[in-house]
Amino acid sequence: MHNYEIGEYFALLAKLMDIHGENEFKTKSYSNAAFTLDKLTEPVSDMSPSQLYAIRGIGEAIGKKIEEIIATKSLSILDAYLQKTPPGILEMLKIKGLGPKKIVTIWKELEIESIGELLYACEENRLIKYKGFGEKTQKNIQESLEFYLHHQGNYLYEQVENLALTLQQNLNETFPNHQHIISGHFKRQMEWLGFLDVVTTLPATNLTNWLTDKMFKIEKKEEYFSCKGEDNFEIRWHLTNPDTFFWKDFTLSCDPAFLSAWELLPNFKLHPFQSEAAIFEQVGVHFIPAAQREQPKIIQNASKKTLPAAINPTDIKGIIHSHSTWSDGIHTIEQMALAAKQKGYEYLIISDHSKSAFYANGLQADRILAQHKEIDALNKKLAPFVIFKSIESDILNDGSLDYPEEVLASFDIVIASVHSNLKMTEEKAMMRLLNAISNPYTSILGHPTGRLLLSRKGYPVDHEAIIESCAEHNVVIELNAHPRRLDMDWRYIQAAVENDVLISINPDAHAIAGFDDCKYGVLVAQKAGLTKASNLSSFSLSEMMEFIEFQQAKRG
Ligand SMILES: [Zn+2]
Ligand SMILES: [Zn+2]
């Protein structure tokens, strides 16, 4: 065993002890030991105990621990600290710029326990409110995190979107006489993916030459060529010919259960298909977009009639759920409103954080009054564009909202969201959510599970019970369109629509650029076949005014 390998045990031990707030004196002796081992030229594994114990900065106590490491390849005191440290906190130690002190603040004060949550907090500007985190530090941490996550193998749809579109364009331009399509999970508009599938009619030699030129490492697998670029993201190349191209693309762009059901259709017979449409014509089924090739039951629906048109990005008529400089946003209400107006939206619903969200500069009652004055003045200036008064009210531990009724009554719309104590049982989560939904001031339930894709699972909930309760109390369920949230999960949208519950695709924008996230919400909503009629943010201004009147009547 090399000295530096042994040293790493002590370095990690010292860091963990720091994180757990142990006596600095004890911690220091271990970090010193790591330092000494690193500098020592003679291997300690060759030394006798007396030689080892005599080294300055080692001594008998640490010497015995070194013997334990050499004999067992582990250190019991370190194992004990590892046991009581969440895996996400350990992972943070791998991030450049994050030492034990900062990690303690992140863990204990921001209550963040994973890399993904931490990145999201950077995007929301939450770190800068804490001691030791300036704007520059936050930016550096964000960059290190993005770098780290980029190498983890799985990517959000939004992170690979550009790569996929550029690749498609490059292939079309370089090899115009061949067919190519980005298929698989990307074509299905999945919320995240581990690799990209490309179907092409390009011969193997042309493809491998082209990829080698571009410095890709290529590996031949049984069914495809796998290649990885510098960023380590995998692209799988499925080689076909014009007769097999469309069928290959079809098999990759549907859920396995959907595909099995398809192959059992009475008229199905595998033969060369010359287009995607031909695959549908053969079995007499109306076209089903790749995004909707999920549950087999949609095949029955599409065999009877054309599927209703799913929502499109241009069907979003207003921005619902948007933060401003009044809480943790980057832009003022006026800047946000002007940008929304310019992008062709008819209204903007400003929902800053409520008072319990102290980390996000949540609004106390007196600041709400001042904000409403500002909105009134802007509305005079920007008509016919309308800014509605709203709040993203924290759902407190007992499920109550964050303000007394007279304050809640001053908002056009109340979005109720859980932001604190996310670690809870389903029973506790449901108690909080159902209480909030039944509150007559709640119009929209915000990001219902609190999940962050690829980084935080979200608290456990009973979706059916939430939908039922929202139906009973006329509460809309948000589809938070931030590409890292996409919460509620699209898999429950149909059930909500069948129960006459409206969905609202909301960007939860913390800056003007955030408006564009609506698209990611739309892409997953398409998977569920959501129509614009069932989406609140597709309401025109006059429909929105009616909706607000109806919500206010609920308050009694
Ligand atoms: Zn929120
Ligand atoms: Zn928000």
Side-chain angles (χ1 to χ4, degrees):
M1 224 175 170
H2 292 290
N3 287 350
Y4 71 84
E5 287 175 277
I6 300 168
E8 276 168 8
Y9 284 81
F10 291 105
L12 180 59
L13 176 61
K15 283 179 192 161
L16 288 181
M17 288 175 77
D18 269 339
I19 289 173
H20 287 276
E22 301 297 355
N23 179 320
E24 211 175 313
F25 180 74
K26 269 202 323 210
T27 312
K28 200 101 196 144
S29 68
Y30 294 122
S31 54
N32 280 343
F35 182 78
T36 308
L37 282 162
D38 217 25
K39 294 277 161 281
L40 214 59
T41 43
E42 203 186 329
V44 289
S45 49
D46 295 345
M47 292 180 190
S48 69
S50 55
Q51 274 176 304
L52 179 60
Y53 302 165
I55 298 171
R56 235 188 114 199
I58 300 279
E60 187 170 343
I62 287 177
K64 285 212 181 320
K65 291 191 169 64
I66 291 175
E67 287 165 345
E68 184 192 344
I69 294 168
I70 294 169
T72 65
K73 295 240 167 6
S74 70
L75 181 60
S76 48
I77 177 175
L78 174 61
D79 291 343
Y81 281 103
L82 287 170
Q83 277 280 318
K84 54 181 181 178
T85 314
I89 297 295
L90 281 173
E91 214 180 357
M92 282 178 205
L93 285 167
K94 297 183 194 157
I95 305 299
K96 218 177 98 213
L98 280 186
K101 267 211 184 83
K102 288 202 170 64
I103 293 176
V104 172
T105 308
I106 289 163
W107 186 16
K108 299 295 178 186
E109 292 184 47
L110 281 97
E111 294 182 355
I112 286 174
E113 286 189 6
S114 79
I115 301 273
E117 279 177 86
L118 182 57
L119 177 58
Y120 191 69
C122 291
E123 287 166 3
E124 281 196 327
N125 275 316
R126 282 175 48 197
L127 262 56
I128 52 175
K129 314 243 158 39
Y130 291 85
K131 200 167 158 260
F133 294 88
E135 207 163 324
K136 206 171 150 221
T137 315
Q138 177 179 276
K139 192 167 166 278
N140 290 341
I141 293 174
Q142 185 172 351
E143 279 169 11
S144 307
L145 287 168
E146 276 165 355
F147 180 86
Y148 178 81
L149 284 170
H150 202 64
H151 290 75
Q152 290 302 292
N154 289 324
Y155 295 80
L156 297 177
Y157 178 94
E158 174 248 2
Q159 293 171 316
V160 294
E161 187 183 23
N162 253 335
L163 169 76
L165 299 178
T166 315
L167 186 61
Q168 177 79 60
Q169 198 186 348
N170 276 349
L171 285 165
N172 292 347
E173 283 170 9
T174 320
F175 306 104
N177 298 324
H178 288 274
Q179 290 162 288
H180 328 272
I181 189 157
I182 313 288
S183 185
H185 287 182
F186 184 79
K187 189 170 171 182
R188 282 170 66 194
Q189 297 165 203
M190 298 302 275
E191 50 275 68
W192 59 269
L193 37 161
F195 50 85
L196 213 54
D197 284 300
V198 185
V199 182
T200 178
T201 57
L202 210 55
T205 39
N206 299 35
L207 177 70
T208 46
N209 288 343
W210 187 64
L211 291 173
T212 317
D213 274 357
K214 291 187 174 302
M215 313 294 287
F216 282 104
K217 283 182 289 204
I218 312 158
E219 214 182 311
K220 171 123 181 55
K221 305 267 179 172
E222 208 171 302
E223 293 197 22
Y224 52 85
F225 282 88
S226 163
C227 86
K228 282 183 181 172
E230 258 173 37
D231 54 7
N232 226 11
F233 184 62
E234 185 186 4
I235 304 176
R236 295 180 178 179
W237 298 85
H238 303 266
L239 272 46
T240 60
N241 60 53
D243 283 344
T244 56
F245 177 82
F246 290 102
W247 179 249
K248 186 72 196 177
D249 172 41
F250 185 81
T251 60
L252 289 169
S253 59
C254 50
D255 184 84
F258 179 101
L259 182 60
S260 308
W262 193 272
E263 288 172 331
L264 290 173
L265 289 173
N267 295 330
F268 173 77
K269 191 170 153 281
L270 188 57
H271 76 98
F273 292 103
Q274 301 309 320
S275 68
E276 197 175 33
I279 296 173
F280 287 84
E281 280 157 18
Q282 183 197 52
V283 292
V285 172
H286 292 280
F287 185 72
I288 304 170
Q292 284 175 268
R293 296 172 197 162
E294 295 290 334
Q295 299 286 334
K297 75 170 187 217
I298 198 168
I299 302 173
Q300 266 68 57
N301 298 347
S303 62
K304 288 181 208 124
K305 53 182 180 11
T306 37
L307 296 173
I311 188 165
N312 273 305
T314 49
D315 294 325
I316 304 292
K317 295 297 171 214
I319 295 293
I320 306 180
H321 193 166
S322 178
H323 297 264
S324 74
T325 44
W326 281 88
S327 67
D328 58 351
I330 296 285
H331 294 114
T332 63
I333 298 181
E334 181 166 21
Q335 287 170 321
M336 297 290 270
L338 283 170
K341 190 179 179 190
Q342 204 226 338
K343 282 172 185 277
Y345 295 113
E346 297 177 28
Y347 52 90
L348 168 69
I349 298 185
I350 284 285
S351 338
D352 273 308
H353 283 288
S354 65
K355 66 181 199 297
S356 293
F358 59 89
Y359 58 83
N361 195 21
L363 271 60
Q364 295 289 343
D366 56 325
R367 293 180 65 227
I368 290 169
L369 233 60
Q371 188 193 51
H372 287 181
K373 266 192 194 152
E374 183 180 314
I375 292 177
D376 288 337
L378 282 170
N379 273 334
K380 279 190 191 124
K381 208 163 125 186
L382 301 175
F385 186 88
V386 176
I387 305 166
F388 289 105
K389 297 163 186 162
S390 177
I391 194 82
E392 182 176 20
S393 173
D394 268 32
I395 297 175
L396 303 178
N397 260 329
D398 61 355
S400 60
L401 298 183
D402 208 5
Y403 297 108
E405 287 193 3
E406 62 271 23
V407 178
L408 290 171
S410 70
F411 300 109
D412 297 315
I413 293 229
V414 173
I415 301 176
S417 306
V418 172
H419 290 122
S420 58
N421 301 319
L422 301 176
K423 268 193 176 172
M424 51 186 167
T425 59
E426 181 175 319
E427 200 187 2
K428 174 87 200 259
M430 288 306 290
M431 181 276 288
R432 288 172 81 182
L433 292 176
L434 295 181
N435 262 342
I437 293 166
S438 66
N439 189 313
Y441 289 92
T442 301
S443 325
I444 301 176
L445 175 66
H447 44 71
T449 73
R451 76 175 183 185
L452 294 178
L453 291 168
L454 302 179
S455 52
R456 184 170 81 198
K457 240 179 129 218
Y459 39 82
V461 303
D462 175 347
H463 283 90
E464 265 172 49
I466 290 177
I467 290 167
E468 224 170 83
S469 179
C470 286
E472 187 190 338
H473 299 284
N474 284 303
V475 169
V476 177
I477 302 179
E478 172 176 89
L479 194 186
N480 191 296
H482 191 288
R484 193 169 284 285
R485 287 192 183 269
L486 300 175
D487 179 17
M488 78 186 296
D489 193 300
W490 58 267
R491 291 160 187 85
Y492 300 98
I493 288 180
Q494 262 316 316
V497 171
E498 279 162 19
N499 282 278
D500 288 323
V501 172
L502 280 173
I503 303 298
S504 191
I505 299 176
N506 301 343
D508 197 355
H510 285 73
I512 290 164
F515 293 165
D516 295 340
D517 284 347
C518 286
K519 180 183 78 178
Y520 300 106
V522 170
L523 289 178
V524 288
Q526 286 177 343
K527 294 187 70 54
L530 183 73
T531 61
K532 62 180 177 185
S534 298
N535 173 48
L536 182 66
S537 57
S538 294
F539 280 24
S540 67
L541 176 60
S542 59
E543 287 168 329
M544 179 52 72
M545 284 171 161
E546 262 173 55
F547 172 81
I548 289 170
E549 241 173 71
F550 174 73
Q551 285 292 321
Q552 304 213 323
K554 223 170 74 174
R555 299 172 181 178

